[in-house]
């Protein structure tokens, strides 16, 4: 190893530490005995985790978030797959427009989207409803699902479906039995990403929240305004662990898909 | 692709076995199809690939298994059923695709350049394999190819298409020896095409020689005027320059290729004429030599000038 690659390695690690540091810091903060956010932490306690799991309000918010995120994941996976199929397999001249509309939410600031949705949902009675949340979250999660599914779909020879049809399968059966099993790992990991995006989405939740039903990130903001106890870093730790679990899950799915593609 | 139902023809009808299939979708045509790039389903085992058409026809699992194994046996891949497609070589994959296309005994087997992805040796082996299957199973095979040699060796009847229009449909021998138009003549094999002036009985080369042609030289009636005289290179031979009844030509290049030799010559007006002659027993010639070309009358074909 020469000096240059040594320097490069050091640089890479420095960047990684810079990125990871805030995440690492919340861990000691979440077990600190003090009643406010403190670093370095004082003592060790799991009290804040107990507070979180024991508080009805936190739990309600968590279950509400899980419900929204699950429905968002399913909606995004189904609609995203259908949309991607249309995009990859011939949307024709409308394709570009369609694609721009689908992935638009990536470039539109969430705050702008949130304001627009707020006004729209106020007038249609969707504000604060599960359906409203799922629609809004699907909108922002859709681009990620589309990208994930498109990556798999564009690597599949369209002639495979032709072959299935020449074997007697209808167009839908050809998709269901041939294309879908091949892209399924990507569809599922697209859904997992959608779950995570929905689960810790704060901006839209801020605008759409009713008085009763609040998502977990929304509850956290409320708590930060009023109390700012180490429950917040405790939840942050749990959210981080969830994200890591989902990433590992998506990675395993990808490995599975690759192995299958290589014919193992 | 029109025969299989993936494209709608702009004009005309597709009738298979007396049934008009022009507007039927691909899955309702009961046609076996082998594609250019195998198109095996990568997530299914070889046996499941072959059994797929049977599954679509609602045949029971055990019966599927049995028929798939029988089809694999037909393509000499018995015992390969449990492997995945990626574990097979290109030739084996194409044979699995073949088994999948014949397993349900279709009326017609369509093959869209099925061998173009294989290397030369494998291609020749598969050509024989397909011919064997053809006679064993007794089904009609429509075989699309850009390889003229493949077309001549494999087909009972050859159809030449140009821009979606049929040029000629005939047995291989007739297609080669009496192509129906200039396009067909130039498409299969090599063909010398000499511009001539036709007066109804004799064709006159640009440089002056007059050739009396038999009646059957013209495949379609040719009106007097500019026309094209077509001769296969292997039908020409040469003699000493000035021999009576020969066409004066100059040797430009001699390409020795073992059993045969390619002679590239040119007529007085610059028209290139190629000769394919046996290498043995010929008086040697070299570039620059003046020679006389001869051709048996039955080997000459007369066509109207293109675009006329």
């Amino acid at each position: 190893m020469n000096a240059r690659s040594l320097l490069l390695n050091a640089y890479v690690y420095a960047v990684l530490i810079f990125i990871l540091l805030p995440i690492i810091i919340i861990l000691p903060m979440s077990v600190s005995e003090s009643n406010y956010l403190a670093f370095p932490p004082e003592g060790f306690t799991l009290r804040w985790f107990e507070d979180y799991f024991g508080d009805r309000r936190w739990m309600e918010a968590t279950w509400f978030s899980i419900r929204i995120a699950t429905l968002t994941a399913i909606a995004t996976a189904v609609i995203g797959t259908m949309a991607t199929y249309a995009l990859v397999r011939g949307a024709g001249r409308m394709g570009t427009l369609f694609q721009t509309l689908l992935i638009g939410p990536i470039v539109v600031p969430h705050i702008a989207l949130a304001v627009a949705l707020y006004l729209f949902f106020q007038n249609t009675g969707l504000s604060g409803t599960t359906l409203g949340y799922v629609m809004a979250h699907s909108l922002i999660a859709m681009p990620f699902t589309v990208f994930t599914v498109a990556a798999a779909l564009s690597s599949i020879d369209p002639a495979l479906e032709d072959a299935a049809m020449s074997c007697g399968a209808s167009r839908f059966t050809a998709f269901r039995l041939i294309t879908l099993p091949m892209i399924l790992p990507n569809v599922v990991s697209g859904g997992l990403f959608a779950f995570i995006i929905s689960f810790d989405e704060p901006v839209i939740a801020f605008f759409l929240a009713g008085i009763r039903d609040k998502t977990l990130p929304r509850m956290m903001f409320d708590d930060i305004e009023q109390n700012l106890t180490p429950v917040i870093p405790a939840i942050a730790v749990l959210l981080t662990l969830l994200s890591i679990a989902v990433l590992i899950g998506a990675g395993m799915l990808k490995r599975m898909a690759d192995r299958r593609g290589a014919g193992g | 692709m029109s025969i299989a139902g993936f494209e709608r023809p702009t004009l005309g009808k597709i009738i298979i076995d007396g049934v008009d299939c022009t507007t039927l979708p691909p899955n309702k045509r009961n046609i076996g199809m082998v594609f250019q790039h195998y198109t095996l389903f990568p997530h299914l085992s070889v046996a499941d690939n072959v059994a797929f058409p049977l599954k679509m026809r609602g045949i029971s699992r055990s019966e599927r298994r049995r028929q798939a194994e029988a089809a694999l046996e037909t393509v000499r891949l018995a015992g390969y059923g449990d492997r995945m497609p990626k574990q097979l070589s290109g030739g084996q994959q194409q044979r699995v695709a073949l088994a999948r296309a014949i397993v349900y005994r279709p009326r017609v087997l369509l093959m869209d350049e099925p061998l173009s992805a294989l290397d030369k040796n494998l291609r020749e082996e598969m050509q024989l394999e397909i011919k064997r299957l053809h006679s064993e199973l007794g089904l009609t095979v429509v075989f699309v190819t850009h390889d003229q040699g493949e077309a001549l060796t494999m087909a009972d009847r050859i159809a030449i298409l140009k821009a979606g229009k049929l040029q000629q449909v005939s047995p291989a021998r007739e297609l080669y020896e009496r192509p129906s138009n200039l396009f067909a003549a130039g498409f299969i094999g090599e063909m010398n095409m000499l511009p001539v002036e036709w007066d109804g009985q004799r064709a006159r080369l640009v440089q002056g020689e007059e050739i009396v042609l038999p009646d059957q030289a013209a495949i379609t009636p040719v009106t007097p005027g500019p026309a094209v005289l077509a001769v296969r290179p292997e039908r020409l031979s040469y003699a000493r320059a000035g021999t009576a009844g020969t066409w004066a030509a100059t040797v430009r290049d001699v390409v020795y290729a073992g059993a045969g030799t390619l002679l590239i010559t040119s007529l007085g007006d610059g028209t290139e004429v190629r000769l394919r002659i046996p290498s043995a027993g010929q008086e040697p010639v070299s570039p620059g030599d003046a020679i006389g070309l001869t051709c048996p009358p039955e080997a000459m074909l007369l066509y109207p000038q293109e675009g006329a």
Side-chain angles (χ1 to χ4, degrees):
Chain A
M1 191 182 283
N2 57 32
R4 239 178 96 177
S5 63
L6 209 67
L7 208 66
L8 186 68
N9 273 346
Y11 177 71
V12 169
Y13 281 112
V15 170
L16 283 178
I17 289 168
F18 180 76
I19 292 172
L20 289 174
L21 208 55
I23 300 174
I24 295 167
I25 282 176
I26 58 161
L27 194 61
M29 281 166 79
S30 70
V31 292
S32 168
E33 276 174 13
S34 62
N35 272 327
Y36 48 90
L37 293 182
F39 190 86
E42 298 152 15
F44 177 86
T45 174
L46 289 178
R47 194 189 130 202
W48 308 114
F49 287 91
E50 279 163 31
D51 273 12
Y52 166 67
F53 284 108
D55 187 324
R56 199 175 53 83
R57 281 165 50 247
W58 281 122
M59 283 299 102
E60 270 174 9
T62 306
W63 283 114
F64 187 66
S65 270
I66 289 175
R67 196 172 74 185
I68 302 283
T70 307
L71 290 172
T72 300
I74 294 169
T76 319
V78 173
I79 299 170
T81 303
M82 297 197 302
T84 312
Y85 188 82
L87 273 181
V88 176
R89 292 289 160 83
R93 291 170 64 184
M94 294 296 283
T96 324
L97 176 71
F98 188 43
Q99 186 173 4
T100 314
L101 283 175
L102 260 183
I103 61 176
I106 280 189
V107 281
V108 177
H110 284 184
I111 188 85
L113 210 60
V115 172
L117 284 171
Y118 174 73
L119 294 174
F120 177 66
F121 283 0
Q122 280 299 313
N123 290 325
T124 46
L126 286 166
S127 206
T129 63
T130 305
L131 179 64
Y133 272 115
V134 172
M135 281 170 68
H137 283 176
S138 296
L139 205 60
I140 56 168
M142 196 66 81
F144 299 93
T145 311
V146 167
F147 285 140
T148 323
V149 176
L153 200 56
S154 54
S155 71
I156 294 176
D157 185 359
L160 283 181
E161 274 180 36
D162 288 350
M165 282 167 75
S166 81
C167 288
S170 67
R171 188 164 269 290
F172 180 70
T173 307
F175 172 77
R176 187 169 57 87
L177 292 182
I178 304 304
T179 309
L180 187 58
M182 290 167 72
I183 60 171
L184 196 58
N186 286 53
V187 172
V188 173
S189 65
L192 285 176
F193 281 125
F195 183 93
I196 285 297
I197 288 168
S198 163
F199 199 76
D200 59 21
E201 196 289 316
V203 182
I204 287 173
F206 201 83
F207 277 83
L208 296 191
I211 299 166
R212 254 179 350 101
D213 293 332
K214 284 178 178 170
T215 65
L216 188 58
R218 178 66 218 269
M219 272 295 283
M220 288 168 80
F221 273 109
D222 281 1
D223 193 75
I224 289 168
E225 273 173 22
Q226 291 155 19
N227 308 317
L228 199 63
T229 57
V231 170
I232 297 297
I235 297 172
V237 166
L238 294 172
L239 282 178
T240 307
L241 289 177
L242 179 73
S243 286
I244 291 171
V246 166
L247 276 180
I248 289 173
M252 273 162 58
L253 280 169
K254 189 178 176 326
R255 284 255 303 276
M256 210 172 84
D258 289 349
R259 256 212 310 280
R260 185 184 273 169
Chain B
M1 291 317 254
S2 286
I3 304 180
F6 295 112
E7 278 163 25
R8 194 61 69 81
T10 45
L11 213 72
K13 278 183 178 173
I14 294 166
I15 296 168
I16 302 171
D17 219 2
V19 183
D20 186 348
C21 298
T22 317
T23 55
L24 275 185
N27 50 328
K28 297 272 160 61
R29 294 198 179 192
N30 208 24
I31 285 176
M33 181 138 187
V34 177
F35 294 77
Q36 193 169 352
H37 295 290
Y38 323 142
T39 59
L40 296 180
F41 310 131
H43 60 300
L44 299 179
S45 72
V46 166
D48 285 342
N49 261 281
V50 177
F52 188 83
L54 303 173
K55 192 176 174 184
M56 292 302 105
R57 284 161 178 77
I59 291 166
S60 76
R61 176 176 280 274
S62 57
E63 183 61 17
R64 285 200 312 251
R65 187 87 206 168
R66 198 188 61 73
Q67 290 187 23
E69 191 53 40
L72 280 172
E73 212 165 297
T74 317
V75 297
R76 300 184 192 185
L77 281 178
Y80 281 75
D82 291 330
R83 303 208 189 175
M84 295 306 279
K86 279 277 157 63
Q87 293 172 300
L88 304 183
S89 71
Q92 287 171 330
Q93 287 189 44
Q94 195 57 296
R95 276 192 276 167
V96 175
L98 199 55
R100 186 179 65 188
I102 58 171
V103 69
Y104 51 99
R105 313 220 159 264
R107 299 174 289 187
V108 181
L109 180 58
L110 278 184
M111 308 186 89
D112 185 10
E113 300 196 47
L115 308 180
S116 58
L118 306 177
D119 65 47
K120 190 167 170 290
N121 286 339
L122 214 49
R123 196 154 63 218
E124 280 167 6
E125 190 186 309
M126 283 297 289
Q127 285 174 0
L128 296 177
E129 189 86 8
I130 292 167
K131 281 194 89 149
R132 182 179 64 81
L133 280 176
H134 175 227
S135 56
E136 252 174 45
L137 302 173
L139 41 69
T140 304
V141 179
V142 178
F143 191 102
V144 180
T145 181
H146 280 112
D147 182 335
Q148 310 157 12
E150 195 166 88
L152 288 174
T153 43
M154 296 198 65
D156 299 322
R157 286 198 303 160
I158 298 175
I160 294 185
L161 284 161
K162 182 192 179 190
K165 283 210 172 97
L166 270 178
Q167 302 294 306
Q168 180 169 10
V169 188
S170 50
R173 191 182 184 102
E174 188 183 324
L175 183 75
Y176 188 77
E177 291 176 7
R178 294 185 65 76
S180 64
N181 59 35
L182 274 179
F183 178 79
F187 187 75
I188 294 253
E190 285 180 301
M191 188 68 102
N192 290 305
M193 305 214 184
L194 317 177
V196 293
E197 194 68 26
W198 173 245
D199 69 359
Q201 283 168 340
R202 278 168 303 185
R204 196 158 57 84
L205 290 173
V206 180
Q207 61 188 21
E209 287 96 336
E210 294 202 332
I211 306 154
V212 181
L213 292 177
D215 285 344
Q216 68 266 25
I219 282 147
T220 50
V222 181
T223 49
V228 175
L229 184 68
V231 184
R232 294 276 179 206
E234 70 273 14
R235 302 302 298 270
L236 285 164
S237 52
Y238 64 90
R240 200 161 303 173
T243 310
T246 63
W247 319 330
T250 311
V251 178
R252 278 207 304 217
D253 216 340
V254 183
V255 183
Y256 176 80
T261 295
L262 168 66
L263 222 58
I264 302 172
T265 70
S266 57
L267 299 181
D269 59 321
T271 309
E272 184 182 283
V273 181
R274 289 166 173 250
L275 285 74
R276 288 202 178 269
I277 50 174
S279 298
Q282 296 281 340
E283 201 170 315
V285 288
S286 43
D289 291 354
I291 53 170
L293 304 180
T294 61
C295 181
E298 74 275 10
M300 291 188 274
L301 300 166
L302 189 70
Y303 295 97
Q305 200 177 43
E306 207 139 66

